[in-house]
Amino acid sequence: MKYAVKTITREYSPSEVAAVSGVSTALQRDWRRRGVIHGRSDGWNKYDLSDVIRMTVMRAFTQSGIGLETAEALSGMAVLPVIATLSRWDDTAVFEGDTLNDEQRERIRGNAVRGVSEDDQFSFVALPERDGEAVAARIDNLAKGEQLMGQNQSFHGVAVDHYGLAHHIASTSPLPIIRYEIEVGGEE
């Protein structure tokens, strides 16, 4: 059976972003003015799921002493793993339209985000930054973070737990976060 899938992620108002990410509406305006975040504006500011993830991570990194420019550059590391995690949960990702069997639904959930390993549980940054550069990576365990710190001769590191961040977003965001619109076509 052939079917088409359209993936739609939730749009967030600035107040919803503040509730989910902890980034105040005033700070959102400041980051927009600086070009750090973009969102979409058609008379009203709206942000998509990747914006919410990035702002949540940027807030965590800047509160940990990482400069805003570095936090902005590194925040993208968490976007795909968090979306991949959210896409696997029934309450956060729902199917609408035509009916599919469980195997087809799982195939869609598993292929929602390409290029992300389920093993990449953390985004890790070794501190302090050296010459304005941060050593960062997606890792599957914190022991690898210690290796990064050793390579960078660092004494500190900041880790973002992708699973924990996905859980936080799912528990503070209006649901559903991801919708799969299904349209069944003809037979293969």
Side-chain angles (χ1 to χ4, degrees), residues 39-156:
R40 170 178 82 65
S41 181
D42 54 1
W44 300 97
N45 291 332
K46 291 286 187 183
Y47 299 99
D48 67 15
L49 180 56
S50 63
D51 294 325
V52 172
I53 295 167
R54 288 184 58 245
M55 283 190 264
T56 306
V57 172
M58 289 186 334
R59 179 177 178 266
F61 281 165
T62 56
Q63 288 184 332
S64 298
I66 296 174
L68 181 58
E69 287 181 13
T70 302
E72 176 190 9
L74 298 174
S75 65
M77 290 175 52
V79 171
L80 294 179
V82 171
I83 291 174
T85 300
L86 290 169
S87 72
R88 293 183 190 103
W89 295 341
D90 288 334
D91 292 343
T92 59
V94 298
F95 289 84
E96 298 176 347
D98 294 331
T99 303
L100 297 177
N101 64 40
D102 289 343
E103 181 182 323
Q104 292 165 323
R105 287 177 177 224
E106 286 308 307
R107 189 175 320 127
I108 291 168
R109 289 179 189 275
N111 292 325
V113 179
R114 296 182 190 273
V116 175
S117 168
E118 287 187 40
D119 295 333
D120 293 337
Q121 183 171 349
F122 302 98
S123 291
F124 186 86
V125 181
L127 296 175
E129 300 172 53
R130 301 278 183 212
D131 302 319
E133 297 288 319
V135 174
R138 285 187 196 145
I139 57 175
D140 61 355
N141 66 65
L142 293 177
K144 290 184 180 172
E146 287 183 303
Q147 292 172 351
L148 282 175
M149 290 186 333
Q151 293 167 0
N152 197 41
Q153 299 176 345
S154 301
F155 297 104
H156 302 58

